[in-house]
Amino acid sequence: MKTRLGIFISGGGSNMQSIAKACEQPNFPAQVSLVVSNIPDARGLRFAKQLGLKTVIVDHQSFSTRKDFEQEIQKHLVKAKIELVCLAGFMRILSPFLVEKWQGKMLNIHPSLLPKFRGLNTHKRALEANEKTHGCSVHFVTVGLDEGPVIAQSTIPVLSDDTIQALQARVLIAEHILYPQTIKQLCQ
Ligand code: GRF
């Protein structure tokens, strides 16, 4: 039986697409069973629909509390029989309410070599810190922001003439390989 994935997005959804593509391989041990977006017009939703994936919009702005928002998400996850949640560019911080329900079963991809550069603007900060290497990490989600145990990392060199955009683009390519690979290992 393939592991049923729920992928959370807020934007472009390129990581979601790379996971969905990997899931198309017959021997891949997981399938995308639901894509959740908190942004009604997230670009990634269009790609998800093109790929024939089931999608749901849970707009955080429609809920007066974080718990109500997360309760609605949880309802959809249960209904779709989700077994593993993959945050992929999901730009809401989740509270203990949802995180604790999915302990050990919720992953995130972060564009830095954690524990370096938690939070936003990781590429800019890596350049400013004169890092020689940079990359991305897949980690379990815990209540602390980008603090959960790291499962896998991919490292790339920082070039002497790198710009934020160039570095970001190369890290994103690494993300598209690392995330499906890590899901495969976990599900096998
Ligand atoms: C990625 O860099 C991911 O690591 C970060 O947000 C970006 C999302 O990109 N959390 P996409 O929506 O998957 O294209």
Side-chain angles (χ1 to χ4, degrees), residues 5 7 15-23 32 86 88 179-180 183:
L5 305 180
I7 305 184
N15 277 288
M16 173 211 70
Q17 288 182 76
S18 73
I19 296 167
K21 285 270 169 248
C23 287
V32 182
C86 304
Y179 214 174
I183 292 168

Side-chain angles (χ1 to χ4, degrees), residues 84-143:
L84 182 68
V85 171
C86 304
L87 308 187
F90 185 67
M91 299 306 282
R92 297 298 292 175
I93 294 175
L94 295 170
S95 79
F97 173 78
L98 200 63
V99 171
E100 282 166 10
K101 284 190 195 313
W102 289 90
Q103 201 180 353
K105 290 184 239 160
M106 184 183 270
L107 314 178
N108 182 39
I109 186 144
H110 183 75
S112 80
L113 295 173
L114 290 171
K116 285 183 181 173
F117 311 120
R118 294 181 171 125
L120 298 174
N121 303 319
T122 57
H123 311 300
K124 180 168 184 274
R125 286 155 64 205
L127 287 177
E128 283 169 358
N130 277 318
E131 295 289 326
K132 296 285 167 275
T133 57
H134 187 43
C136 52
S137 310
V138 176
H139 65 95
F140 285 113
V141 175
T142 56
V143 171

